[in-house]
């Protein structure tokens, strides 16, 4: 349920409501908006009807949250969440662009890419150090050494680092280096991993599983929010369909659909979404036109030699052209990029 506080309700009244909710064995999430403060109450509410919450001082109204995802829903927080992680801002009219290689491969590779994508206007640097590969015989990433190289690239360019964490026990290590923890598509429903990143205060980029519905994506985000971490971005990266001309099918209707139901920003990945570098620029521009709050794009100094995902990776010149097009589209739809 949502407990809506009266405008100007006192701190002590809010604290009293929170204590009463906890006393009922339920979990309160206080959301301070520009117009009103609400307490989203989660847990098994069956016994709460008798709690008399609507009669407490400072309470304006109590209503049910209809969506199955609670803290993620627009009902609870009408204002959009803006994710801020170092140089990266995603949401609230700013389109944040995260660019970089699929995998960190060497110091030269990551530092040169960071400098090039920053010059073209990216505000975040991506690079996988822990890679979830379909085959156990494929390159699995440089692990901690890769994280150190990402930190060096950040020190040289100031770009925020976005990097994947694949297991709960690695979260403390990756969180020491990352500005944004990426949860990959294959791990969207790894609930212990979602709980582990929910216990940090590091921003999270949660990618949609290729066979997950958008409602399942929102419920996965709810695990992170319920843990107390509110800096969550959702990422549409393409789903599995019968179609084979692209690696995945990139459904951009996800963007306005999610915007209508959640306050969380939505990022689109046209690299994994298509699997083919010649398609990336058009789909990035289309994503911005559809209202995406951010893009995550694979860029490498020499894509044909990339250790992973070279076929969908842009070189520096192609990324720069993509940014020029996306900037024009952003301006046309009233956003900054
Ligand atoms: C990646 O970003 O390199 C990646 C592995 O993406 P996904 O989890 O979407 O497949
Ligand atoms: Mn990749």
């Amino acid at each position: 349920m949502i407990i809506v506080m009266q405008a100007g309700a006192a701190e002590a009244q809010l604290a009293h409501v929170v204590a009463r909710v906890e006393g009922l064995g339920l979990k309160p999430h206080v959301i301070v908006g520009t117009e009103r403060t609400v307490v989203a109450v989660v847990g098994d509410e069956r016994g709460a009807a008798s709690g008399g919450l609507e009669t407490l001082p400072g309470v304006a109204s109590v209503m049910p949250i209809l969506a199955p995802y609670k803290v993620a829903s627009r009902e609870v927080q009408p204002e959009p969440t803006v994710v801020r992680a170092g140089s990266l801002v995603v949401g609230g009219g700013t389109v944040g662009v995260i660019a970089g290689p699929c995998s960190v491969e060497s110091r030269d590779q990551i530092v040169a890419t960071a400098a090039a994508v920053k010059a073209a206007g990216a505000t975040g640097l991506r690079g996988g150090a822990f890679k979830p590969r379909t085959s156990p015989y494929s390159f699995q990433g440089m692990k901690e050494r890769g994280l150190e190289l990402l930190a060096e690239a950040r020190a040289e360019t100031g770009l925020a680092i976005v990097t994947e964490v694949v297991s709960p026990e690695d979260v403390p290590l990756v969180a020491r280096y990352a500005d944004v923890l990426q949860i990959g598509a294959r791990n969207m429903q790894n609930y212990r991993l979602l709980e582990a990143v929910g216990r940090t205060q590091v921003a999270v980029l949660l990618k949609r599983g290729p066979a997950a519905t958008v409602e399942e994506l929102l419920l996965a985000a709810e695990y992170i929010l319920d843990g107390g971490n509110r800096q969550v971005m959702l990422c549409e990266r393409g789903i599995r369909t019968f179609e084979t001309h692209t690696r995945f099918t990139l459904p951009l209707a996800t963007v306005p659909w999610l915007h209508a139901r959640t306050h969380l920003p939505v990022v689109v990945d046209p690299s994994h979404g298509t699997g083919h570098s010649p398609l990336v620029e058009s789909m990035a521009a289309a994503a911005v036109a559809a209202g995406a709050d951010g893009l995550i794009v694979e860029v490498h100094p020499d894509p044909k030699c990339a250790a992973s995902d070279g076929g969908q990776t842009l070189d520096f010149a192609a990324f720069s052209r993509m940014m020029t097009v996306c900037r024009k589209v952003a301006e046309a739809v009233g956003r900054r990029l």
Side-chain angles (χ1 to χ4, degrees):
M1 76 188 101
I2 311 175
I3 303 172
V4 182
M5 300 301 293
Q6 290 164 357
E11 286 282 325
Q13 293 175 326
L14 179 63
H16 185 212
V17 169
V18 165
R20 180 68 76 89
V21 169
E22 285 168 346
L24 290 165
L26 298 167
K27 188 162 167 188
H29 288 273
V30 176
I31 291 151
V32 181
T34 46
E35 315 239 308
R36 54 176 200 169
T37 292
V38 306
V39 183
V41 177
V42 294
D44 184 349
E45 295 174 11
R46 278 170 295 183
S50 54
L53 292 165
E54 57 290 330
T55 63
L56 294 180
V59 172
S61 62
V62 176
M63 49 200 180
I65 309 175
L66 300 175
Y69 35 89
K70 309 286 176 194
V71 188
S73 78
R74 279 246 181 222
E75 297 167 71
V76 161
Q77 183 187 313
E79 301 94 10
T81 288
V82 180
V83 170
R84 294 172 203 279
S87 59
L88 180 68
V89 178
V90 176
T94 298
V95 182
V97 180
I98 301 159
C102 181
S103 304
V104 181
E105 297 165 12
S106 69
R107 187 180 192 284
D108 284 354
Q109 176 238 22
I110 195 67
V111 171
T113 307
V117 299
K118 184 182 178 183
T123 47
L125 175 67
R126 62 151 290 147
F130 290 86
K131 294 302 300 177
R133 302 304 301 282
T134 303
S135 163
Y137 308 120
S138 301
F139 176 56
Q140 301 288 315
M142 293 181 77
K143 317 263 166 73
E144 188 165 2
R145 179 72 194 129
L147 297 175
E148 287 167 3
L149 296 178
L150 283 165
E152 286 187 35
R154 173 175 50 201
E156 297 227 354
T157 60
L159 287 181
I161 289 172
V162 181
T163 195
E164 182 162 357
V165 58
V166 295
S167 74
E169 54 281 12
D170 292 337
V171 169
L173 169 70
V174 182
R176 273 209 301 283
Y177 293 90
D179 298 290
V180 177
L181 294 167
Q182 177 175 327
I183 302 289
R186 292 159 189 78
N187 270 317
M188 187 204 89
Q189 287 174 309
N190 180 341
Y191 298 116
R192 299 300 85 80
L193 179 60
L194 300 176
E195 285 167 353
V197 300
R199 285 190 291 271
T200 75
Q201 288 301 313
V202 182
V204 178
L205 179 79
L206 175 63
K207 297 187 97 176
R208 176 183 185 179
T213 66
V214 269
E215 190 157 299
E216 287 165 339
L217 172 64
L218 285 166
L219 284 164
E222 192 75 13
Y223 271 85
I224 303 168
L225 299 168
D226 189 46
N229 187 346
R230 300 269 176 82
Q231 289 280 290
V232 178
M233 298 169 256
L234 305 171
C235 179
E236 175 57 82
R237 47 78 73 211
I239 55 174
R240 176 110 340 136
T241 68
F242 55 83
E243 188 53 83
T244 54
H245 77 294
T246 48
R247 182 179 177 194
F248 293 96
T249 296
L250 184 61
L252 291 178
T254 304
V255 178
W257 192 94
L258 283 170
H259 278 156
R261 287 162 182 84
T262 180
H263 51 84
L264 298 175
V266 183
V267 174
V268 171
D269 178 345
S271 305
H272 293 85
T274 62
H276 298 290
S277 55
L279 305 179
V280 169
E281 177 185 304
S282 303
M283 295 314 287
V288 175
D293 301 291
L295 297 170
I296 180 166
V297 181
E298 289 186 334
V299 179
H300 189 285
D302 186 5
K304 64 184 179 314
C305 294
S308 54
D309 286 351
Q312 65 194 32
T313 297
L314 302 183
D315 62 18
F316 298 163
F319 178 67
S320 179
R321 286 193 297 273
M322 184 209 93
M323 289 296 280
T324 303
V325 171
C326 288
R327 207 171 280 117
K328 287 187 196 149
V329 175
E331 206 175 299
V333 295
R335 283 153 187 260
R336 295 172 297 279
L337 179 144

